[in-house]
Coordinates of all heavy atoms in Angstrom, one line a residue:
Chain B
E52 N 44.9 -19.3 5.8 CA 46.2 -18.9 5.2 C 47.3 -19.9 5.4 O 48.5 -19.7 5.0 CB 46.7 -17.5 5.8 CG 45.7 -16.4 5.5 CD 46.2 -15.1 6.1 OE1 47.2 -14.5 5.7 OE2 45.5 -14.6 7.1
T53 N 47.0 -21.1 6.0 CA 48.0 -22.1 6.2 C 47.7 -23.3 5.4 O 46.5 -23.8 5.3 CB 48.0 -22.5 7.7 OG1 48.3 -21.3 8.5 CG2 49.1 -23.6 8.0
Q54 N 48.7 -23.9 4.8 CA 48.4 -25.2 4.0 C 48.2 -26.3 5.0 O 49.1 -26.6 5.9 CB 49.6 -25.5 3.1 CG 49.4 -26.7 2.2 CD 50.6 -27.0 1.3 OE1 51.5 -27.7 1.6 NE2 50.6 -26.4 0.1
R55 N 47.1 -27.0 4.9 CA 46.7 -28.0 5.9 C 46.9 -29.4 5.3 O 47.3 -30.3 6.1 CB 45.2 -27.8 6.3 CG 44.8 -28.7 7.4 CD 43.6 -28.2 8.1 NE 42.4 -28.2 7.3 CZ 41.2 -28.0 7.8 NH1 41.0 -27.6 9.1 NH2 40.1 -28.0 7.1
N56 N 46.7 -29.6 4.0 CA 47.0 -30.9 3.4 C 47.6 -30.7 2.1 O 47.4 -29.6 1.4 CB 45.7 -31.6 3.2 CG 45.1 -32.2 4.5 OD1 45.7 -33.0 5.2 ND2 43.9 -31.7 4.9
K57 N 48.4 -31.6 1.6 CA 49.0 -31.5 0.3 C 48.9 -32.9 -0.4 O 49.2 -33.9 0.2 CB 50.5 -31.1 0.5 CG 51.2 -30.8 -0.8 CD 52.6 -30.3 -0.5 CE 53.3 -29.8 -1.8 NZ 53.2 -30.7 -2.9
G58 N 48.6 -32.8 -1.7 CA 48.5 -34.1 -2.5 C 49.9 -34.4 -3.0 O 50.9 -33.8 -2.8
N59 N 49.9 -35.4 -3.9 CA 51.1 -36.0 -4.4 C 51.4 -35.3 -5.8 O 51.4 -36.0 -6.8 CB 51.0 -37.5 -4.5 CG 52.3 -38.1 -4.9 OD1 53.4 -37.6 -4.6 ND2 52.2 -39.3 -5.5
F60 N 51.7 -34.1 -5.8 CA 52.1 -33.4 -7.0 C 53.5 -32.8 -6.8 O 53.9 -32.5 -5.7 CB 51.1 -32.2 -7.3 CG 49.8 -32.7 -8.0 CD1 48.8 -33.3 -7.3 CD2 49.7 -32.6 -9.4 CE1 47.7 -33.8 -7.9 CE2 48.6 -33.0 -10.0 CZ 47.6 -33.6 -9.3
P61 N 54.2 -32.5 -8.0 CA 55.5 -32.0 -7.8 C 55.5 -30.5 -7.3 O 54.5 -29.9 -7.3 CB 56.1 -32.0 -9.3 CG 54.9 -32.2 -10.2 CD 53.8 -32.9 -9.3
G62 N 56.7 -30.1 -6.9 CA 56.8 -28.8 -6.3 C 56.5 -27.6 -7.3 O 56.4 -26.5 -6.8
R63 N 56.4 -27.9 -8.6 CA 56.0 -26.9 -9.5 C 54.6 -26.3 -9.2 O 54.2 -25.2 -9.7 CB 56.0 -27.4 -11.0 CG 57.3 -28.0 -11.4 CD 57.2 -28.4 -12.9 NE 56.3 -29.5 -13.2 CZ 55.1 -29.4 -13.8 NH1 54.7 -28.2 -14.2 NH2 54.4 -30.4 -14.0
F64 N 53.8 -27.1 -8.5 CA 52.5 -26.7 -8.1 C 52.5 -26.1 -6.7 O 53.0 -26.8 -5.8 CB 51.5 -27.9 -8.1 CG 51.3 -28.5 -9.5 CD1 52.2 -29.4 -10.1 CD2 50.1 -28.1 -10.2 CE1 51.9 -29.9 -11.3 CE2 49.9 -28.6 -11.5 CZ 50.8 -29.5 -12.0
S65 N 52.1 -24.9 -6.6 CA 52.1 -24.3 -5.3 C 50.9 -23.4 -5.1 O 50.1 -23.1 -6.1 CB 53.4 -23.4 -5.1 OG 53.3 -22.3 -6.1
G66 N 50.6 -23.0 -3.9 CA 49.4 -22.2 -3.7 C 49.6 -21.3 -2.5 O 50.6 -21.3 -1.8
R67 N 48.6 -20.5 -2.3 CA 48.6 -19.6 -1.1 C 47.2 -19.1 -0.9 O 46.3 -19.2 -1.7 CB 49.6 -18.4 -1.2 CG 49.3 -17.5 -2.4 CD 50.2 -16.4 -2.4 NE 50.1 -15.5 -3.6 CZ 50.7 -14.3 -3.6 NH1 51.4 -13.8 -2.7 NH2 50.5 -13.5 -4.7
Q68 N 47.0 -18.7 0.4 CA 45.7 -18.1 0.7 C 45.9 -16.8 1.4 O 46.8 -16.6 2.2 CB 44.9 -19.1 1.6 CG 43.5 -18.7 1.9 CD 42.7 -19.6 2.8 OE1 43.3 -20.3 3.7 NE2 41.4 -19.8 2.6
F69 N 45.0 -15.9 1.1 CA 45.1 -14.5 1.7 C 44.1 -14.4 2.9 O 43.3 -15.3 3.1 CB 44.7 -13.5 0.6 CG 45.6 -13.6 -0.6 CD1 45.2 -14.4 -1.7 CD2 46.9 -13.0 -0.7 CE1 46.0 -14.5 -2.9 CE2 47.7 -13.1 -1.8 CZ 47.3 -13.9 -2.9
S70 N 44.3 -13.3 3.6 CA 43.5 -13.1 4.8 C 42.0 -13.0 4.5 O 41.2 -13.3 5.4 CB 44.0 -11.8 5.5 OG 43.9 -10.7 4.7
N71 N 41.6 -12.7 3.3 CA 40.2 -12.7 3.0 C 39.7 -14.0 2.5 O 38.6 -14.1 2.0 CB 39.9 -11.6 2.0 CG 40.6 -11.8 0.6 OD1 41.3 -12.8 0.5 ND2 40.4 -10.9 -0.3
S72 N 40.5 -15.1 2.6 CA 40.2 -16.5 2.2 C 40.4 -16.7 0.8 O 40.3 -17.9 0.3 CB 38.8 -16.9 2.7 OG 38.8 -17.0 4.1
R73 N 40.5 -15.7 0.0 CA 40.8 -15.9 -1.5 C 42.1 -16.7 -1.6 O 43.0 -16.6 -0.8 CB 40.9 -14.6 -2.2 CG 40.9 -14.7 -3.7 CD 40.9 -13.3 -4.4 NE 42.2 -12.7 -4.2 CZ 43.3 -12.8 -5.0 NH1 43.2 -13.7 -6.0 NH2 44.4 -12.1 -4.7
S74 N 42.1 -17.5 -2.6 CA 43.3 -18.4 -2.8 C 43.8 -18.3 -4.3 O 43.1 -18.0 -5.2 CB 43.0 -19.8 -2.5 OG 44.1 -20.7 -2.7
E75 N 45.1 -18.5 -4.4 CA 45.7 -18.6 -5.7 C 46.5 -19.9 -5.8 O 47.1 -20.4 -4.8 CB 46.6 -17.4 -6.0 CG 46.0 -16.1 -6.2 CD 46.9 -15.0 -6.5 OE1 48.2 -15.2 -6.3 OE2 46.5 -13.9 -6.9
M76 N 46.6 -20.5 -7.0 CA 47.5 -21.6 -7.2 C 48.4 -21.2 -8.4 O 48.0 -20.5 -9.3 CB 46.9 -22.9 -7.4 CG 46.1 -23.1 -8.6 SD 45.8 -24.9 -8.9 CE 47.4 -25.4 -9.7
N77 N 49.6 -21.6 -8.3 CA 50.6 -21.3 -9.3 C 51.2 -22.6 -9.9 O 51.5 -23.5 -9.1 CB 51.7 -20.4 -8.7 CG 52.7 -20.0 -9.8 OD1 52.4 -19.1 -10.6 ND2 53.9 -20.6 -9.8
V78 N 51.4 -22.7 -11.2 CA 52.1 -23.8 -11.7 C 53.3 -23.2 -12.5 O 53.1 -22.4 -13.4 CB 51.2 -24.6 -12.7 CG1 52.0 -25.9 -13.1 CG2 49.9 -25.0 -12.0
S79 N 54.5 -23.6 -12.2 CA 55.6 -23.1 -12.9 C 56.1 -24.1 -13.9 O 55.8 -25.3 -13.8 CB 56.8 -22.7 -11.9 OG 57.2 -23.9 -11.3
T80 N 56.9 -23.6 -14.9 CA 57.5 -24.5 -15.9 C 56.5 -25.5 -16.4 O 56.6 -26.7 -16.3 CB 58.7 -25.3 -15.3 OG1 59.5 -24.4 -14.5 CG2 59.6 -25.8 -16.5
L81 N 55.5 -25.0 -17.1 CA 54.3 -25.8 -17.5 C 54.8 -26.9 -18.4 O 55.7 -26.8 -19.3 CB 53.3 -24.9 -18.2 CG 52.4 -24.1 -17.3 CD1 51.7 -23.0 -18.1 CD2 51.4 -25.0 -16.6
E82 N 54.1 -28.1 -18.3 CA 54.4 -29.2 -19.2 C 53.0 -29.6 -19.9 O 52.0 -29.2 -19.4 CB 54.8 -30.4 -18.3 CG 56.1 -30.2 -17.6 CD 56.5 -31.4 -16.7 OE1 55.7 -32.4 -16.7 OE2 57.6 -31.3 -16.0
L83 N 53.1 -30.3 -21.0 CA 51.9 -30.6 -21.7 C 50.9 -31.4 -20.8 O 49.7 -31.2 -21.0 CB 52.3 -31.5 -22.9 CG 53.1 -30.9 -24.0 CD1 53.4 -31.9 -25.1 CD2 52.4 -29.7 -24.6
G84 N 51.5 -32.2 -20.0 CA 50.6 -33.0 -19.1 C 49.9 -32.2 -18.0 O 49.0 -32.7 -17.3
D85 N 50.2 -30.9 -17.9 CA 49.4 -30.1 -17.0 C 48.1 -29.6 -17.5 O 47.3 -28.9 -16.8 CB 50.3 -28.9 -16.6 CG 51.6 -29.2 -15.9 OD1 51.6 -30.3 -15.2 OD2 52.6 -28.5 -16.0
S86 N 47.9 -29.9 -18.8 CA 46.6 -29.5 -19.4 C 45.5 -30.2 -18.6 O 45.5 -31.5 -18.5 CB 46.5 -29.9 -20.9 OG 47.5 -29.1 -21.6
A87 N 44.5 -29.5 -18.1 CA 43.5 -30.1 -17.2 C 42.5 -29.0 -16.8 O 42.7 -27.8 -17.1 CB 44.1 -30.7 -16.0
L88 N 41.4 -29.5 -16.2 CA 40.5 -28.6 -15.5 C 40.9 -28.4 -14.1 O 41.0 -29.4 -13.4 CB 39.1 -29.1 -15.6 CG 38.0 -28.3 -15.0 CD1 37.8 -27.0 -15.8 CD2 36.6 -29.0 -15.0
Y89 N 41.2 -27.2 -13.6 CA 41.6 -27.0 -12.3 C 40.4 -26.5 -11.5 O 39.9 -25.4 -11.8 CB 42.8 -26.0 -12.2 CG 44.1 -26.7 -12.7 CD1 44.4 -26.7 -14.1 CD2 44.9 -27.5 -11.9 CE1 45.5 -27.4 -14.6 CE2 46.0 -28.1 -12.3 CZ 46.3 -28.1 -13.7 OH 47.4 -28.8 -14.2
L90 N 40.1 -27.2 -10.4 CA 38.9 -26.9 -9.7 C 39.2 -26.4 -8.3 O 40.1 -27.0 -7.6 CB 38.0 -28.1 -9.6 CG 37.3 -28.6 -10.9 CD1 37.0 -30.0 -10.9 CD2 36.1 -27.7 -11.2
C91 N 38.5 -25.5 -7.8 CA 38.7 -25.0 -6.5 C 37.4 -25.3 -5.7 O 36.3 -25.3 -6.2 CB 38.9 -23.4 -6.5 SG 38.7 -22.6 -5.0
A92 N 37.6 -25.7 -4.5 CA 36.4 -26.1 -3.6 C 36.5 -25.4 -2.3 O 37.5 -25.2 -1.7 CB 36.4 -27.6 -3.4
S93 N 35.3 -24.9 -1.9 CA 35.2 -24.2 -0.6 C 34.5 -25.1 0.4 O 33.5 -25.8 0.1 CB 34.3 -22.9 -0.9 OG 33.9 -22.3 0.2
R94 N 35.1 -25.2 1.6 CA 34.6 -26.2 2.6 C 33.7 -25.5 3.6 O 34.1 -24.5 4.3 CB 35.7 -26.9 3.3 CG 35.3 -28.0 4.2 CD 36.4 -28.5 5.1 NE 37.4 -29.2 4.4 CZ 37.6 -30.5 4.4 NH1 36.8 -31.3 5.1 NH2 38.6 -31.1 3.7
D95 N 32.5 -26.1 3.8 CA 31.7 -25.7 5.0 C 32.1 -26.6 6.2 O 31.9 -27.8 6.2 CB 30.2 -26.0 4.6 CG 29.2 -25.6 5.7 OD1 29.7 -25.5 6.9 OD2 28.0 -25.5 5.4
T96 N 32.7 -25.9 7.1 CA 33.3 -26.7 8.2 C 32.2 -27.3 9.2 O 32.5 -28.2 9.9 CB 34.3 -25.9 9.0 OG1 33.7 -24.6 9.4 CG2 35.6 -25.6 8.2
L97 N 31.0 -26.7 9.1 CA 30.0 -27.2 10.0 C 29.5 -28.6 9.5 O 29.3 -29.5 10.3 CB 28.8 -26.3 10.0 CG 29.0 -25.0 10.8 CD1 27.7 -24.1 10.6 CD2 29.2 -25.3 12.3
T98 N 29.4 -28.8 8.2 CA 28.9 -30.1 7.7 C 30.1 -30.9 7.0 O 29.9 -32.0 6.6 CB 27.8 -29.9 6.6 OG1 28.4 -29.0 5.6 CG2 26.6 -29.2 7.2
D99 N 31.2 -30.2 6.9 CA 32.4 -30.9 6.3 C 32.1 -31.2 4.9 O 32.5 -32.3 4.4 CB 32.9 -32.1 7.1 CG 34.4 -32.1 7.2 OD1 35.1 -31.3 6.5 OD2 34.9 -32.9 8.0
T100 N 31.4 -30.4 4.2 CA 31.1 -30.6 2.7 C 31.8 -29.6 1.9 O 32.0 -28.5 2.4 CB 29.6 -30.6 2.5 OG1 29.0 -29.4 3.1 CG2 28.9 -31.8 3.0
Q101 N 32.1 -30.0 0.7 CA 32.8 -29.0 -0.2 C 32.0 -28.7 -1.4 O 31.3 -29.5 -2.0 CB 34.1 -29.7 -0.7 CG 35.1 -29.9 0.5 CD 36.5 -30.3 0.0 OE1 36.9 -30.0 -1.1 NE2 37.2 -31.0 0.9
Y102 N 32.1 -27.4 -1.8 CA 31.3 -26.9 -2.9 C 32.4 -26.4 -3.9 O 33.3 -25.6 -3.6 CB 30.4 -25.7 -2.4 CG 29.4 -26.2 -1.4 CD1 29.7 -26.2 -0.1 CD2 28.2 -26.6 -1.9 CE1 28.8 -26.7 0.8 CE2 27.2 -27.1 -1.0 CZ 27.5 -27.1 0.4 OH 26.6 -27.6 1.3
F103 N 32.1 -26.8 -5.2 CA 33.1 -26.5 -6.2 C 32.8 -25.3 -7.0 O 31.6 -24.9 -7.3 CB 33.2 -27.7 -7.2 CG 34.0 -28.8 -6.6 CD1 33.4 -29.7 -5.7 CD2 35.4 -28.9 -6.9 CE1 34.2 -30.8 -5.2 CE2 36.1 -30.0 -6.3 CZ 35.5 -30.9 -5.5
G104 N 33.8 -24.6 -7.5 CA 33.6 -23.6 -8.5 C 33.5 -24.2 -9.9 O 33.6 -25.4 -10.1

Side-chain angles (χ1 to χ4, degrees):
Chain B
E52 302 178 67
T53 301
Q54 188 179 86
R55 186 156 72 172
N56 287 299
K57 189 176 190 309
N59 190 25
F60 277 80
R63 299 185 297 107
F64 293 82
S65 63
R67 59 177 175 167
Q68 187 180 32
F69 302 95
S70 58
N71 62 357
S72 295
R73 190 177 71 83
S74 177
E75 288 181 348
M76 69 162 277
N77 185 78
V78 187
S79 63
T80 320
L81 283 166
E82 301 177 359
L83 295 179
D85 297 333
S86 294
L88 181 66
Y89 289 89
L90 292 157
C91 166
S93 167
R94 185 193 289 256
D95 180 341
T96 50
L97 286 177
T98 58
D99 223 348
T100 49
Q101 295 189 28
Y102 298 88
F103 283 83

